[in-house]
PDB file of all heavy atoms in Angstrom:
ATOM      1  N   ALA A1535       3.815 -20.683  21.560  1.00 95.00           N
ATOM      2  CA  ALA A1535       4.664 -20.954  22.683  1.00 95.00           C
ATOM      3  C   ALA A1535       3.921 -20.822  24.040  1.00 95.00           C
ATOM      4  O   ALA A1535       4.099 -21.667  24.895  1.00 95.00           O
ATOM      5  CB  ALA A1535       5.860 -20.032  22.640  1.00 95.00           C
ATOM      6  N   VAL A1536       3.123 -19.811  24.112  1.00 95.00           N
ATOM      7  CA  VAL A1536       2.381 -19.576  25.400  1.00 95.00           C
ATOM      8  C   VAL A1536       1.402 -20.716  25.566  1.00 95.00           C
ATOM      9  O   VAL A1536       1.237 -21.257  26.686  1.00 95.00           O
ATOM     10  CB  VAL A1536       1.704 -18.224  25.383  1.00 95.00           C
ATOM     11  CG1 VAL A1536       0.705 -18.070  26.518  1.00 95.00           C
ATOM     12  CG2 VAL A1536       2.713 -17.083  25.498  1.00 95.00           C
ATOM     13  N   LEU A1537       0.604 -21.034  24.559  1.00 94.00           N
ATOM     14  CA  LEU A1537      -0.409 -22.080  24.672  1.00 94.00           C
ATOM     15  C   LEU A1537       0.290 -23.462  24.913  1.00 94.00           C
ATOM     16  O   LEU A1537      -0.159 -24.265  25.692  1.00 94.00           O
ATOM     17  CB  LEU A1537      -1.228 -22.166  23.473  1.00 94.00           C
ATOM     18  CG  LEU A1537      -2.257 -21.060  23.304  1.00 94.00           C
ATOM     19  CD1 LEU A1537      -3.027 -21.175  21.974  1.00 94.00           C
ATOM     20  CD2 LEU A1537      -3.269 -21.064  24.470  1.00 94.00           C
ATOM     21  N   GLY A1538       1.432 -23.717  24.317  1.00 94.00           N
ATOM     22  CA  GLY A1538       2.200 -24.927  24.520  1.00 94.00           C
ATOM     23  C   GLY A1538       2.663 -25.027  25.969  1.00 94.00           C
ATOM     24  O   GLY A1538       2.582 -26.069  26.602  1.00 94.00           O
ATOM     25  N   HIS A1539       3.145 -23.917  26.511  1.00 93.00           N
ATOM     26  CA  HIS A1539       3.667 -23.861  27.841  1.00 93.00           C
ATOM     27  C   HIS A1539       2.518 -24.091  28.790  1.00 93.00           C
ATOM     28  O   HIS A1539       2.668 -24.844  29.785  1.00 93.00           O
ATOM     29  CB  HIS A1539       4.342 -22.489  28.154  1.00 93.00           C
ATOM     30  CG  HIS A1539       4.815 -22.351  29.570  1.00 93.00           C
ATOM     31  ND1 HIS A1539       5.913 -23.037  30.025  1.00 93.00           N
ATOM     32  CD2 HIS A1539       4.370 -21.609  30.573  1.00 93.00           C
ATOM     33  CE1 HIS A1539       6.097 -22.710  31.230  1.00 93.00           C
ATOM     34  NE2 HIS A1539       5.187 -21.844  31.640  1.00 93.00           N
ATOM     35  N   LEU A1540       1.370 -23.480  28.636  1.00 92.00           N
ATOM     36  CA  LEU A1540       0.225 -23.714  29.502  1.00 92.00           C
ATOM     37  C   LEU A1540      -0.238 -25.156  29.480  1.00 92.00           C
ATOM     38  O   LEU A1540      -0.550 -25.746  30.526  1.00 92.00           O
ATOM     39  CB  LEU A1540      -0.932 -22.764  29.120  1.00 92.00           C
ATOM     40  CG  LEU A1540      -0.744 -21.297  29.370  1.00 92.00           C
ATOM     41  CD1 LEU A1540      -1.901 -20.489  28.850  1.00 92.00           C
ATOM     42  CD2 LEU A1540      -0.527 -21.084  30.914  1.00 92.00           C
ATOM     43  N   THR A1541      -0.246 -25.768  28.321  1.00 91.00           N
ATOM     44  CA  THR A1541      -0.657 -27.170  28.187  1.00 91.00           C
ATOM     45  C   THR A1541       0.352 -28.129  28.936  1.00 91.00           C
ATOM     46  O   THR A1541      -0.082 -29.018  29.606  1.00 91.00           O
ATOM     47  CB  THR A1541      -0.734 -27.556  26.673  1.00 91.00           C
ATOM     48  OG1 THR A1541      -1.648 -26.689  26.037  1.00 91.00           O
ATOM     49  CG2 THR A1541      -1.223 -28.957  26.520  1.00 91.00           C
ATOM     50  N   VAL A1542       1.579 -27.812  28.810  1.00 90.00           N
ATOM     51  CA  VAL A1542       2.648 -28.656  29.491  1.00 90.00           C
ATOM     52  C   VAL A1542       2.504 -28.500  30.969  1.00 90.00           C
ATOM     53  O   VAL A1542       2.585 -29.493  31.734  1.00 90.00           O
ATOM     54  CB  VAL A1542       4.037 -28.261  29.040  1.00 90.00           C
ATOM     55  CG1 VAL A1542       5.102 -28.925  29.861  1.00 90.00           C
ATOM     56  CG2 VAL A1542       4.225 -28.719  27.518  1.00 90.00           C
ATOM     57  N   GLU A1543       2.277 -27.309  31.432  1.00 90.00           N
ATOM     58  CA  GLU A1543       2.082 -27.099  32.897  1.00 90.00           C
ATOM     59  C   GLU A1543       0.870 -27.781  33.450  1.00 90.00           C
ATOM     60  O   GLU A1543       0.890 -28.337  34.527  1.00 90.00           O
ATOM     61  CB  GLU A1543       2.025 -25.551  33.209  1.00 90.00           C
ATOM     62  CG  GLU A1543       3.323 -24.794  33.001  1.00 90.00           C
ATOM     63  CD  GLU A1543       4.431 -25.383  33.931  1.00 90.00           C
ATOM     64  OE1 GLU A1543       4.151 -25.652  35.133  1.00 90.00           O
ATOM     65  OE2 GLU A1543       5.543 -25.525  33.430  1.00 90.00           O
ATOM     66  N   ARG A1544      -0.221 -27.839  32.619  1.00 88.00           N
ATOM     67  CA  ARG A1544      -1.432 -28.503  33.171  1.00 88.00           C
ATOM     68  C   ARG A1544      -1.230 -30.051  33.189  1.00 88.00           C
ATOM     69  O   ARG A1544      -1.655 -30.728  34.070  1.00 88.00           O
ATOM     70  CB  ARG A1544      -2.628 -28.267  32.170  1.00 88.00           C
ATOM     71  CG  ARG A1544      -3.200 -26.890  32.394  1.00 88.00           C
ATOM     72  CD  ARG A1544      -4.377 -26.712  31.479  1.00 88.00           C
ATOM     73  NE  ARG A1544      -4.923 -25.342  31.599  1.00 88.00           N
ATOM     74  CZ  ARG A1544      -5.762 -24.813  30.786  1.00 88.00           C
ATOM     75  NH1 ARG A1544      -6.159 -25.482  29.728  1.00 88.00           N
ATOM     76  NH2 ARG A1544      -6.184 -23.614  30.933  1.00 88.00           N
ATOM     77  N   ILE A1545      -0.469 -30.568  32.202  1.00 87.00           N
ATOM     78  CA  ILE A1545      -0.149 -32.008  32.197  1.00 87.00           C
ATOM     79  C   ILE A1545       0.707 -32.335  33.434  1.00 87.00           C
ATOM     80  O   ILE A1545       0.522 -33.347  34.083  1.00 87.00           O
ATOM     81  CB  ILE A1545       0.473 -32.421  30.895  1.00 87.00           C
ATOM     82  CG1 ILE A1545      -0.597 -32.343  29.732  1.00 87.00           C
ATOM     83  CG2 ILE A1545       1.012 -33.804  30.906  1.00 87.00           C
ATOM     84  CD1 ILE A1545      -0.044 -32.478  28.327  1.00 87.00           C
ATOM     85  N   ARG A1546       1.756 -31.516  33.667  1.00 86.00           N
ATOM     86  CA  ARG A1546       2.654 -31.788  34.768  1.00 86.00           C
ATOM     87  C   ARG A1546       1.884 -31.714  36.140  1.00 86.00           C
ATOM     88  O   ARG A1546       2.236 -32.391  37.080  1.00 86.00           O
ATOM     89  CB  ARG A1546       3.781 -30.814  34.793  1.00 86.00           C
ATOM     90  CG  ARG A1546       4.787 -31.065  33.709  1.00 86.00           C
ATOM     91  CD  ARG A1546       5.983 -30.112  33.867  1.00 86.00           C
ATOM     92  NE  ARG A1546       6.907 -30.354  32.742  1.00 86.00           N
ATOM     93  CZ  ARG A1546       7.855 -29.541  32.411  1.00 86.00           C
ATOM     94  NH1 ARG A1546       7.974 -28.399  33.029  1.00 86.00           N
ATOM     95  NH2 ARG A1546       8.652 -29.847  31.413  1.00 86.00           N
ATOM     96  N   ALA A1547       0.919 -30.840  36.261  1.00 86.00           N
ATOM     97  CA  ALA A1547       0.197 -30.682  37.467  1.00 86.00           C
ATOM     98  C   ALA A1547      -0.862 -31.794  37.664  1.00 86.00           C
ATOM     99  O   ALA A1547      -1.439 -31.919  38.760  1.00 86.00           O
ATOM    100  CB  ALA A1547      -0.570 -29.327  37.484  1.00 86.00           C
ATOM    101  N   GLY A1548      -1.082 -32.533  36.642  1.00 81.00           N
ATOM    102  CA  GLY A1548      -2.011 -33.665  36.717  1.00 81.00           C
ATOM    103  C   GLY A1548      -3.463 -33.314  36.366  1.00 81.00           C
ATOM    104  O   GLY A1548      -4.344 -34.159  36.499  1.00 81.00           O
ATOM    105  N   THR A1549      -3.757 -32.133  35.966  1.00 63.00           N
ATOM    106  CA  THR A1549      -5.087 -31.806  35.521  1.00 63.00           C
ATOM    107  C   THR A1549      -5.193 -31.854  34.038  1.00 63.00           C
ATOM    108  O   THR A1549      -4.334 -31.340  33.289  1.00 63.00           O
ATOM    109  CB  THR A1549      -5.460 -30.401  36.032  1.00 63.00           C
ATOM    110  OG1 THR A1549      -4.541 -29.443  35.428  1.00 63.00           O
ATOM    111  CG2 THR A1549      -5.468 -30.283  37.507  1.00 63.00           C
ATOM    112  N   GLN A1550      -6.152 -32.540  33.561  1.00 60.00           N
ATOM    113  CA  GLN A1550      -6.372 -32.676  32.111  1.00 60.00           C
ATOM    114  C   GLN A1550      -7.312 -31.545  31.674  1.00 60.00           C
ATOM    115  O   GLN A1550      -8.333 -31.287  32.271  1.00 60.00           O
ATOM    116  CB  GLN A1550      -7.005 -34.028  31.786  1.00 60.00           C
ATOM    117  CG  GLN A1550      -6.160 -35.207  32.144  1.00 60.00           C
ATOM    118  CD  GLN A1550      -5.101 -35.483  31.068  1.00 60.00           C
ATOM    119  OE1 GLN A1550      -5.316 -35.073  29.916  1.00 60.00           O
ATOM    120  NE2 GLN A1550      -4.022 -36.072  31.456  1.00 60.00           N
ATOM    121  N   PRO A1551      -7.012 -30.874  30.600  1.00 59.00           N
ATOM    122  CA  PRO A1551      -7.947 -29.914  30.094  1.00 59.00           C
ATOM    123  C   PRO A1551      -9.198 -30.638  29.546  1.00 59.00           C
ATOM    124  O   PRO A1551      -9.065 -31.612  28.815  1.00 59.00           O
ATOM    125  CB  PRO A1551      -7.241 -29.209  28.946  1.00 59.00           C
ATOM    126  CG  PRO A1551      -6.095 -30.084  28.612  1.00 59.00           C
ATOM    127  CD  PRO A1551      -5.797 -30.928  29.796  1.00 59.00           C
ATOM    128  N   SER A1552     -10.327 -30.212  29.960  1.00 62.00           N
ATOM    129  CA  SER A1552     -11.546 -30.877  29.512  1.00 62.00           C
ATOM    130  C   SER A1552     -12.035 -30.360  28.221  1.00 62.00           C
ATOM    131  O   SER A1552     -11.935 -29.220  27.912  1.00 62.00           O
ATOM    132  CB  SER A1552     -12.663 -30.737  30.621  1.00 62.00           C
ATOM    133  OG  SER A1552     -12.919 -29.293  30.708  1.00 62.00           O
ATOM    134  N   ALA A1553     -12.643 -31.321  27.448  1.00 64.00           N
ATOM    135  CA  ALA A1553     -13.073 -30.923  26.155  1.00 64.00           C
ATOM    136  C   ALA A1553     -14.394 -30.188  26.173  1.00 64.00           C
ATOM    137  O   ALA A1553     -14.677 -29.291  25.431  1.00 64.00           O
ATOM    138  CB  ALA A1553     -13.276 -32.169  25.297  1.00 64.00           C
ATOM    139  N   SER A1554     -15.240 -30.549  27.176  1.00 62.00           N
ATOM    140  CA  SER A1554     -16.471 -29.847  27.310  1.00 62.00           C
ATOM    141  C   SER A1554     -16.846 -29.812  28.838  1.00 62.00           C
ATOM    142  O   SER A1554     -16.374 -30.641  29.574  1.00 62.00           O
ATOM    143  CB  SER A1554     -17.609 -30.541  26.538  1.00 62.00           C
ATOM    144  OG  SER A1554     -17.911 -31.810  27.195  1.00 62.00           O
ATOM    145  N   PRO A1555     -17.666 -28.917  29.241  1.00 59.00           N
ATOM    146  CA  PRO A1555     -17.945 -28.796  30.675  1.00 59.00           C
ATOM    147  C   PRO A1555     -18.744 -29.935  31.163  1.00 59.00           C
ATOM    148  O   PRO A1555     -18.733 -30.236  32.404  1.00 59.00           O
ATOM    149  CB  PRO A1555     -18.706 -27.485  30.798  1.00 59.00           C
ATOM    150  CG  PRO A1555     -19.059 -27.050  29.433  1.00 59.00           C
ATOM    151  CD  PRO A1555     -18.186 -27.772  28.476  1.00 59.00           C
ATOM    152  N   LEU A1556     -19.418 -30.742  30.328  1.00 59.00           N
ATOM    153  CA  LEU A1556     -20.222 -31.843  30.794  1.00 59.00           C
ATOM    154  C   LEU A1556     -19.499 -33.186  30.848  1.00 59.00           C
ATOM    155  O   LEU A1556     -19.996 -34.174  31.400  1.00 59.00           O
ATOM    156  CB  LEU A1556     -21.429 -32.058  29.791  1.00 59.00           C
ATOM    157  CG  LEU A1556     -22.361 -30.852  29.707  1.00 59.00           C
ATOM    158  CD1 LEU A1556     -23.459 -31.175  28.682  1.00 59.00           C
ATOM    159  CD2 LEU A1556     -23.015 -30.570  31.063  1.00 59.00           C
ATOM    160  N   SER A1557     -18.211 -33.189  30.437  1.00 55.00           N
ATOM    161  CA  SER A1557     -17.512 -34.463  30.333  1.00 55.00           C
ATOM    162  C   SER A1557     -17.094 -34.963  31.712  1.00 55.00           C
ATOM    163  O   SER A1557     -16.960 -36.114  31.920  1.00 55.00           O
ATOM    164  CB  SER A1557     -16.292 -34.299  29.394  1.00 55.00           C
ATOM    165  OG  SER A1557     -15.370 -33.462  30.003  1.00 55.00           O
ATOM    166  N   SER A1558     -16.782 -34.074  32.722  1.00 56.00           N
ATOM    167  CA  SER A1558     -16.333 -34.508  34.011  1.00 56.00           C
ATOM    168  C   SER A1558     -17.438 -35.055  34.903  1.00 56.00           C
ATOM    169  O   SER A1558     -17.242 -36.060  35.573  1.00 56.00           O
ATOM    170  CB  SER A1558     -15.523 -33.432  34.676  1.00 56.00           C
ATOM    171  OG  SER A1558     -16.367 -32.374  34.912  1.00 56.00           O
ATOM    172  N   ALA A1559     -18.534 -34.389  35.014  1.00 56.00           N
ATOM    173  CA  ALA A1559     -19.636 -34.841  35.796  1.00 56.00           C
ATOM    174  C   ALA A1559     -20.930 -34.745  35.066  1.00 56.00           C
ATOM    175  O   ALA A1559     -21.576 -33.733  34.967  1.00 56.00           O
ATOM    176  CB  ALA A1559     -19.763 -33.904  37.015  1.00 56.00           C
ATOM    177  N   SER A1560     -21.264 -35.913  34.467  1.00 54.00           N
ATOM    178  CA  SER A1560     -22.457 -35.987  33.587  1.00 54.00           C
ATOM    179  C   SER A1560     -23.621 -36.493  34.434  1.00 54.00           C
ATOM    180  O   SER A1560     -23.612 -37.642  34.914  1.00 54.00           O
ATOM    181  CB  SER A1560     -22.171 -36.844  32.427  1.00 54.00           C
ATOM    182  OG  SER A1560     -23.347 -36.945  31.619  1.00 54.00           O
TER     183      SER A1560
END
Side-chain angles (χ1 to χ4, degrees):
V1536 168
L1537 288 176
H1539 178 71
L1540 290 175
T1541 304
V1542 167
E1543 289 299 318
R1544 284 182 183 165
I1545 291 172
R1546 285 184 184 164
T1549 59
Q1550 296 280 336
S1552 61
S1554 69
L1556 299 176
S1557 64
S1558 61
S1560 178

